[in-house]
Amino acid sequence: GAGVSQSPSNKVTEKGKDVELRCDPISGHTALYWYRQRLGQGLEFLIYFQGNSAPDKSGLPSDRFSAERTGESVSTLTIQRTQQEDSAVYLCASSYTGGGYNEQFFGPGTRLTVL
Amino acid sequence: QQQVKQSPQSLIVQKGGISIINCAYENTAFDYFPWYQQFPGKGPALLIAIRPDVSEKKEGRFTISFNKSAKQFSLHIMDSQPGDSATYFCAASNPETSGSRLTFGEGTQLTVNP
């Protein structure tokens, strides 16, 4: 079946603008994660959704970052008033259920460049 | 306590050689240790994973060695091939966090020369 998809693949924006990134998880996966990957660095956890439960937002770096997910489908990550330090690749992953030893399947990411 | 330290940052190996990447952790709550492989422009993909109740896991040319007492684990790639050239990330899962959150190492860029 189809893997995790993300759009857009690349986004260039000006400082101060808002951006919205989209993630389509694998169908049937109840868990969805967002990560940030800065150049030459590992993945940094941002937010976790599990079914209809309240999301774990503990990794969001500031209140300019927010995310939503409708049920067990699409998720959007919104960054308001973008700053140059927000430039990174934003990765989405989904898994059949959160926790345990469930494999996380990653999308190709959205490369965000803030000028 | 959440940190996973990975080394080396980059590695160059000749075709047919052995590639070794090391990771160390502090948090004894971690209970699952996957390795991810990432090619340029792609998301990471699970390569191999181990649980702390075993000391070694082998899948084809890829082996994880796990030392629970030292809190270290490593990835060995035997007979390295140019197609193995990628960035490798170790990770550790903490069941005490929501979703058994993964903490990633900083990555190792592997280049296998033909």
Side-chain angles (χ1 to χ4, degrees):
Chain A
V4 177
S5 61
Q6 293 185 244
S7 61
S9 55
N10 282 284
K11 177 71 177 178
V12 180
T13 190
E14 293 180 347
K15 177 182 174 181
K17 301 283 189 182
D18 298 351
V19 296
E20 189 173 278
L21 314 180
R22 177 187 170 107
C23 172
D24 282 88
I26 293 172
S27 178
H29 281 192
T30 62
L32 186 147
Y33 307 76
W34 282 97
Y35 295 88
R36 179 169 68 180
Q37 184 176 26
R38 289 191 163 127
L39 185 65
Q41 296 187 20
L43 282 69
E44 174 189 8
F45 168 79
L46 295 178
I47 189 169
Y48 164 67
F49 294 91
Q50 172 58 56
N52 294 313
S53 301
D56 177 353
K57 304 179 181 180
S58 60
L60 294 178
S62 78
D63 58 8
R64 296 186 295 104
F65 287 72
S66 63
E68 293 183 348
R69 186 183 187 195
T70 305
E72 296 180 357
S73 61
V74 171
S75 175
T76 55
L77 176 69
T78 301
I79 308 173
Q80 296 179 309
R81 306 181 302 282
T82 52
Q83 303 296 311
Q84 289 184 332
E85 63 262 28
D86 299 334
S87 295
V89 175
Y90 290 83
L91 290 159
C92 172
S94 71
S95 67
Y96 183 63
T97 63
Y101 308 123
N102 289 284
E103 178 180 354
Q104 293 185 27
F105 294 83
F106 283 83
T110 293
R111 181 175 298 277
L112 175 65
T113 303
V114 182
L115 301 177
Chain B
Q1 279 259 315
Q2 289 294 323
Q3 193 173 17
V4 175
K5 296 183 179 180
Q6 183 172 347
S7 63
Q9 190 172 14
S10 63
L11 180 62
I12 299 175
V13 175
Q14 291 299 118
K15 178 182 176 181
I18 302 173
S19 303
I20 302 174
I21 304 170
N22 301 297
C23 284
Y25 63 96
E26 289 297 322
N27 191 345
T28 56
F30 290 142
D31 72 343
Y32 174 64
F33 301 87
W35 284 88
Y36 281 81
Q37 180 187 55
Q38 185 178 30
F39 292 105
K42 305 290 186 182
L46 180 65
L47 184 64
I48 186 172
I50 196 168
R51 300 177 192 181
D53 53 346
V54 297
S55 60
E56 185 176 283
K57 183 174 182 180
K58 183 176 180 179
E59 291 183 359
R61 296 184 295 109
F62 301 91
T63 300
I64 299 178
S65 296
F66 186 83
N67 186 330
K68 188 174 182 178
S69 60
K71 291 184 282 188
Q72 295 176 347
F73 59 110
S74 61
L75 175 70
H76 295 235
I77 305 174
M78 310 299 289
D79 188 27
S80 299
Q81 299 296 312
D84 298 330
S85 297
T87 300
Y88 293 80
F89 293 95
C90 62
S93 173
N94 185 347
E96 297 175 355
T97 61
S98 62
S100 293
R101 184 182 313 169
L102 290 175
T103 299
F104 286 83
E106 295 194 342
T108 296
Q109 186 164 349
L110 172 65
T111 301
V112 182
N113 289 325

